[in-house]
Amino acid sequence: MLTIQEREIAQKMQTLKNASGSHSPSIFTIAKEIPQIHIDIDACFLSNPYATSLFMDYIQKELIDSKKLRDILEFYPSQNAIISQYLSQSLDIEQDCIFVSNGAIEAIQAILHNFASNKIIVNIPTFSSYYEFVTPQTQVIYYDLPKENDYKLCIESYIDFVKKHKPQSVIIINPNNPNGDYLPLDSMREILRNLAEVENVIIDESFIHFAFENADFTPISYIALFKEFHNVILLKSMSKDFGIAGIRAGYAIMQKSKIDKLLKNGYLWNSNGLSEYFFRIYGTKDFRDKYEIVRKKYIAQTQQFFNDLAKIQGLKVYPSKANFALLELVNGVKSSDFVIKMLLKYGIYTRTCNDKIGLNGEFVRLASRTKEENSVILNSLKDLFGGINKAR
Amino acid sequence: MLTIQEREIAQKMQTLKNASGSHSPSIFTIAKEIPQIHIDIDACFLSNPYATSLFMDYIQKELIDSKKLRDILEFYPSQNAIISQYLSQSLDIEQDCIFVSNGAIEAIQAILHNFASNKIIVNIPTFSSYYEFVTPQTQVIYYDLPKENDYKLCIESYIDFVKKHKPQSVIIINPNNPNGDYLPLDSMREILRNLAEVENVIIDESFIHFAFENADFTPISYIALFKEFHNVILLKSMSKDFGIAGIRAGYAIMQKSKIDKLLKNGYLWNSNGLSEYFFRIYGTKDFRDKYEIVRKKYIAQTQQFFNDLAKIQGLKVYPSKANFALLELVNGVKSSDFVIKMLLKYGIYTRTCNDKIGLNGEFVRLASRTKEENSVILNSLKDLFGGINKAR
């Protein structure tokens, strides 16, 4: 599939990828290291671009036009326990159950190191930090999501597996990354009812704003489950749904005693001026109302994109209620070649899943971007795969 | 000294202070919780305001005017090992000895938790995080800096103390916080020659850009000592010298094996878009040249400020080569009353040192701000203390 020149660039990309561990090199890094590559669309990037525009409108009006940006960058941000008060307003939960973090990744590290250093069950395929950031003494047990069931979690089989292994902790990402499978609230409740003996049930709901259980895309909150089950730890990145990965905003919800332990010897000033600013406006109804509009608009476009993708020959699109879809290349194309071809021929950066443990086959993860970008992605894929739609 | 109304506000301030642990509540928090207080000058705040202006010039030109700010906030920052490459250029040391952190405080926590969990010697008075953020099993031994010697470190006595207690780690802040005493490079080398058996000699050089050993204020770097002594860990906040506390930029320099351990299970994406941007421009000669000008200007003004302060009756000003001075109230005024009076009568926020262990007396820490603000502070102090200069 690749020309000699393309293969050389593929080699350089592989070197960058190796240096990035089990994550994609950033587009800044690629631009710096391989100047031949011009990325027009970053479809690795799991982020609602309309929400970014909304945030930028606030920044322009409230910080730049009003000359308040300097204050945000010059002075110390508030401490963790102060910023959690803003979040308390938007999340309808007590402030002392909220741990504000420098991106969700900091909360993941904090939880794995402080509360989950014994036996832990991780479902695969998954977000790699969940097994990479464990402590040296942690025993990781993998639960294989079955390919024959589109990598969906089967509640009964999962509960049996957990009961058999008796772990200290389990992790469920919902919707799951990289396949986007969504476990409805009632199913999650059913799991929790059966896992009372597990010390920590860590639920990563970083993609929950893209999920829906009805046609109105009514917001779903797992905070209800935290209130019902004492062993739940909720984790949330704001990077994806709010499109603000660069400001590093995340949080975790857990029992007050755990928060106390974390704040007792660290994490005091882990927010920055702009993440504090974000959490402050997220506490306002004005922002949340505007956000709801761009959230629903993006879900509708994303689901339409996935439907259109599914019509392209050579691709299997796994059902997703996240803002990305797992694509299986079922026409003999290797995913690493596909990624390079998309990059060099169309300027579209996609995520190979070669390095994801628990996937068997040639997989790529594709993010939903703006409507216009999704359209370019669709046309490029049709072009690449011969333009023939599946007979349906 | 205080009126009834002032005493009521003092109570509220005390409540905020208690909620902030052993740190000052931020001016944002104060503004929100006690609207009666109007802070004109934040003299708690240890930061070069001219450097902030320099950074804001870059932000305006390179990010706002050129419409690149969105990229910085929308996309993921680079990973730790990429950003340390920028720093490597400015610091003249290998990239793989640099740990980039979300403010120096994150590096402090990481080092205390990962490498210094046994016996540690902390000199007091000091920055409280050095004893608050230790692990539960850590044994902290305090070395009292002697008041009779202006809380200066006496090399011989210190070396004897360390040799007697045989700690795993020691911490030296240089210049020290809160008194500003500076230990010259040669004295530090002498200490290090004698402490080869200590596993970690942690040197916090967050205020080193304000220190000087000659009349030209030539930059001092302790990196030379890291290259000479394998057990040195250097810690550096960028908040103070570059006036950018809100972006949370810091780093630590340590042996590669230690960095590898830290990055193996965390700290992957701990920078944000703006801290990455800062580290990127800090890597350029253009920025560093401009920074040198504002650094030297600020030192000259700061030292002049300290000299003028020393002439005010009722105050003892401890010798400082940092950007703050420790003031002892020697006229019977209580430091908590002084702080409230300065706040309510003059709009100047100063740092009581009541909560600093290792200080014996009534102490306040006062930051050097702009020349104009320093002048207002001086006049306010003269007004408060009767306007009479010391006979000299």
Side-chain angles (χ1 to χ4, degrees):
Chain A
M1 192 183 189
L2 300 187
T3 65
I4 293 172
Q5 282 179 320
E6 286 171 342
R7 202 152 292 287
E8 279 172 10
I9 292 176
Q11 285 289 342
K12 288 185 187 170
M13 277 293 286
Q14 190 57 48
T15 308
L16 284 189
K17 179 83 184 75
N18 294 346
S20 302
S22 41
H23 301 278
S24 313
S26 79
I27 59 168
F28 298 120
T29 305
I30 296 172
K32 186 169 163 250
E33 303 291 333
I34 315 180
Q36 301 100 307
I37 293 182
H38 298 284
I39 298 176
D40 295 319
I41 298 175
D42 184 358
C44 289
F45 184 50
L46 310 178
S47 170
N48 179 353
Y50 305 117
T52 313
S53 299
L54 174 64
F55 184 59
M56 291 310 294
D57 289 345
Y58 272 77
I59 298 248
Q60 184 66 46
K61 198 173 55 186
E62 296 195 351
L63 299 186
I64 296 175
D65 294 347
S66 68
K67 311 277 182 206
K68 286 186 182 157
L69 183 61
R70 178 177 171 133
D71 288 354
I72 297 277
L73 307 186
E74 183 173 21
F75 296 118
Y76 280 89
S78 299
Q79 297 179 9
N80 211 307
I82 302 284
I83 298 176
S84 58
Q85 290 171 14
Y86 303 128
L87 261 171
S88 171
Q89 295 167 20
S90 17
L91 300 179
D92 187 28
I93 192 166
E94 292 74 28
Q95 167 268 327
D96 53 11
C97 296
I98 304 172
F99 174 70
V100 181
S101 62
N102 184 38
I105 196 82
E106 184 182 52
I108 291 174
Q109 182 186 359
I111 291 163
L112 290 177
H113 287 209
N114 287 280
F115 310 121
S117 54
N118 296 334
K119 195 193 283 189
I120 190 165
I121 292 182
V122 176
N123 307 340
I124 52 173
T126 188
F127 180 57
S128 61
S129 298
Y130 280 114
Y131 50 85
E132 289 174 345
F133 284 5
V134 294
T135 69
Q137 69 269 24
T138 303
Q139 183 194 357
V140 179
I141 297 176
Y142 294 110
Y143 173 76
D144 290 293
L145 296 167
K147 182 169 186 179
E148 61 276 16
N149 193 26
D150 285 350
Y151 298 110
K152 283 175 191 294
L153 186 85
C154 164
I155 300 179
E156 293 74 26
S157 138
Y158 180 70
I159 293 171
D160 288 349
F161 187 86
V162 176
K163 290 198 167 186
K164 184 181 139 204
H165 286 280
K166 303 189 192 313
Q168 180 194 30
S169 311
V170 301
I171 291 168
I172 299 174
I173 311 182
N174 193 34
N176 192 33
N177 182 358
N179 58 323
D181 176 46
Y182 172 68
L183 208 60
L185 197 68
D186 283 345
S187 304
M188 190 67 92
R189 186 177 279 118
E190 181 62 22
I191 291 179
L192 286 164
R193 277 204 195 102
N194 282 280
L195 300 188
E197 74 283 9
V198 177
E199 197 176 310
N200 308 297
V201 179
I202 303 167
I203 302 176
D204 182 335
E205 53 171 10
S206 292
F207 297 97
I208 197 85
H209 286 208
F210 307 123
F212 51 92
E213 298 199 2
N214 63 28
D216 290 337
F217 305 149
T218 306
I220 301 164
S221 173
Y222 274 59
I223 289 176
L225 296 180
F226 170 78
K227 292 177 179 172
E228 288 173 52
F229 300 94
H230 74 284
N231 55 352
V232 167
I233 296 177
L234 292 179
L235 267 162
K236 180 82 180 70
S237 163
M238 314 304 263
S239 298
K240 286 83 181 171
D241 34 24
F242 294 95
I244 50 171
I247 73 166
R248 315 304 300 124
Y251 64 85
I253 293 178
M254 62 190 95
Q255 297 301 319
K256 181 181 179 307
S257 58
K258 289 194 163 82
I259 305 267
D260 288 346
K261 188 187 169 194
L262 291 179
L263 295 186
K264 189 175 156 48
N265 61 8
Y267 306 105
L268 192 63
W269 286 298
N270 59 345
S271 289
N272 60 74
L274 281 175
S275 61
E276 174 170 9
Y277 171 72
F278 167 75
F279 284 125
R280 210 183 318 150
I281 61 171
Y282 183 44
T284 68
K285 188 174 177 307
D286 180 66
F287 178 83
R288 288 206 304 277
D289 286 349
K290 288 177 179 150
Y291 169 67
E292 268 306 285
I293 295 167
V294 296
R295 186 182 71 86
K296 290 182 178 181
K297 171 182 170 181
Y298 181 60
I299 295 179
Q301 292 180 5
T302 295
Q303 291 297 319
Q304 182 60 51
F305 178 50
F306 295 164
N307 288 338
D308 294 341
L309 277 177
K311 293 177 194 151
I312 295 173
Q313 213 165 27
L315 289 180
K316 169 169 177 166
V317 181
Y318 284 73
S320 169
K321 285 189 175 173
N323 66 336
F324 52 81
L326 184 67
L327 310 185
E328 186 172 2
L329 306 175
V330 290
N331 54 0
V333 175
K334 290 184 68 174
S335 75
S336 52
D337 289 354
F338 172 88
V339 167
I340 292 295
K341 202 78 185 177
M342 288 292 283
L343 200 51
L344 295 179
K345 189 164 180 192
Y346 307 102
I348 298 169
Y349 186 32
T350 56
R351 170 74 159 88
T352 171
C353 292
N354 275 352
D355 58 335
K356 287 266 174 201
I357 59 173
L359 282 176
N360 180 19
E362 294 297 325
F363 288 93
V364 173
R365 194 190 63 194
L366 195 64
S368 168
R369 305 297 308 150
T370 64
K371 194 175 176 181
E372 294 71 27
E373 288 177 319
N374 288 347
S375 172
V376 173
I377 295 170
L378 281 166
N379 289 331
S380 305
L381 286 170
K382 286 179 197 165
D383 183 59
L384 185 66
F385 288 135
I388 307 151
N389 281 8
K390 283 179 195 167
R392 284 232 156 186
Chain B
M1 192 185 190
L2 299 187
T3 65
I4 293 172
Q5 283 180 320
E6 286 171 342
R7 201 151 293 287
E8 278 171 11
I9 293 175
Q11 284 290 341
K12 288 185 187 169
M13 276 293 287
Q14 190 57 47
T15 308
L16 284 187
K17 178 83 184 77
N18 294 345
S20 303
S22 40
H23 301 278
S24 313
S26 79
I27 58 168
F28 297 121
T29 305
I30 295 172
K32 185 168 163 255
E33 302 291 333
I34 316 181
Q36 301 100 308
I37 293 182
H38 298 285
I39 297 175
D40 295 319
I41 298 175
D42 183 357
C44 288
F45 184 50
L46 311 178
S47 169
N48 178 353
Y50 305 118
T52 313
S53 299
L54 173 63
F55 184 59
M56 291 309 297
D57 288 346
Y58 272 76
I59 297 248
Q60 184 66 45
K61 198 173 55 189
E62 296 195 352
L63 299 185
I64 296 176
D65 294 348
S66 68
K67 311 276 180 207
K68 286 186 183 157
L69 183 61
R70 178 177 171 132
D71 288 353
I72 298 276
L73 307 186
E74 183 173 20
F75 297 117
Y76 280 90
S78 299
Q79 295 180 9
N80 211 307
I82 302 283
I83 298 177
S84 58
Q85 290 172 14
Y86 302 129
L87 261 171
S88 171
Q89 295 167 18
S90 16
L91 300 178
D92 186 28
I93 192 164
E94 291 74 28
Q95 168 267 328
D96 53 12
C97 296
I98 304 172
F99 173 70
V100 181
S101 61
N102 184 38
I105 195 83
E106 183 182 52
I108 292 174
Q109 182 186 1
I111 291 162
L112 291 177
H113 287 209
N114 287 279
F115 310 121
S117 56
N118 296 334
K119 195 192 284 188
I120 190 166
I121 291 181
V122 176
N123 307 339
I124 52 172
T126 189
F127 180 57
S128 61
S129 298
Y130 281 115
Y131 50 86
E132 289 174 345
F133 285 5
V134 294
T135 69
Q137 69 269 24
T138 303
Q139 183 194 358
V140 178
I141 297 175
Y142 294 110
Y143 173 75
D144 290 292
L145 295 167
K147 182 169 185 177
E148 61 275 17
N149 194 26
D150 286 350
Y151 299 110
K152 284 176 191 293
L153 186 85
C154 165
I155 300 179
E156 292 73 25
S157 138
Y158 180 70
I159 292 171
D160 288 349
F161 187 86
V162 176
K163 291 200 166 185
K164 184 181 137 204
H165 286 279
K166 303 190 192 313
Q168 179 194 29
S169 311
V170 301
I171 291 168
I172 299 174
I173 310 182
N174 193 32
N176 192 33
N177 182 359
N179 58 323
D181 176 46
Y182 172 68
L183 208 61
L185 196 68
D186 283 346
S187 304
M188 191 67 92
R189 185 176 280 117
E190 181 63 21
I191 291 179
L192 286 164
R193 278 204 195 103
N194 282 280
L195 298 189
E197 75 282 8
V198 177
E199 196 176 310
N200 309 297
V201 179
I202 303 167
I203 302 175
D204 182 334
E205 53 171 10
S206 292
F207 297 97
I208 197 84
H209 287 207
F210 308 123
F212 51 92
E213 298 198 1
N214 63 29
D216 290 336
F217 305 148
T218 306
I220 302 163
S221 172
Y222 273 60
I223 289 176
L225 296 181
F226 170 79
K227 292 177 179 172
E228 287 173 52
F229 300 95
H230 74 284
N231 55 352
V232 167
I233 296 177
L234 292 179
L235 266 163
K236 180 82 181 71
S237 162
M238 313 304 263
S239 298
K240 287 83 182 171
D241 34 24
F242 293 96
I244 49 171
I247 74 166
R248 315 306 298 125
Y251 64 85
I253 294 179
M254 60 190 95
Q255 297 301 320
K256 181 181 179 308
S257 57
K258 288 194 163 81
I259 304 267
D260 288 346
K261 188 186 167 195
L262 291 179
L263 295 186
K264 188 174 157 49
N265 61 8
Y267 306 105
L268 193 63
W269 286 299
N270 59 345
S271 289
N272 60 74
L274 280 175
S275 61
E276 174 169 12
Y277 171 72
F278 167 75
F279 284 125
R280 210 182 319 148
I281 61 171
Y282 183 45
T284 68
K285 188 174 179 307
D286 180 64
F287 178 84
R288 288 205 304 278
D289 286 349
K290 288 177 179 150
Y291 170 68
E292 269 307 285
I293 295 168
V294 296
R295 185 182 72 84
K296 290 183 178 180
K297 171 183 170 181
Y298 181 60
I299 296 180
Q301 292 180 4
T302 295
Q303 291 297 319
Q304 182 60 51
F305 178 50
F306 295 164
N307 288 339
D308 294 343
L309 277 177
K311 293 176 193 152
I312 295 172
Q313 212 164 29
L315 289 179
K316 169 169 178 167
V317 181
Y318 284 73
S320 170
K321 284 187 175 173
N323 66 336
F324 52 82
L326 184 67
L327 310 186
E328 187 172 1
L329 306 175
V330 291
N331 54 1
V333 175
K334 291 185 68 174
S335 74
S336 53
D337 290 354
F338 172 89
V339 167
I340 293 295
K341 201 78 186 178
M342 287 294 283
L343 200 50
L344 295 179
K345 190 166 180 190
Y346 307 103
I348 298 169
Y349 186 31
T350 56
R351 169 75 158 89
T352 172
C353 292
N354 275 351
D355 58 335
K356 287 266 175 202
I357 58 173
L359 282 177
N360 179 19
E362 295 297 326
F363 288 93
V364 172
R365 194 190 63 194
L366 194 66
S368 168
R369 306 296 308 147
T370 64
K371 193 175 179 182
E372 294 70 27
E373 289 177 318
N374 288 347
S375 173
V376 173
I377 295 169
L378 281 167
N379 289 333
S380 305
L381 285 169
K382 286 178 195 163
D383 182 57
L384 185 67
F385 287 134
I388 307 150
N389 281 8
K390 282 178 195 168
R392 285 230 157 193

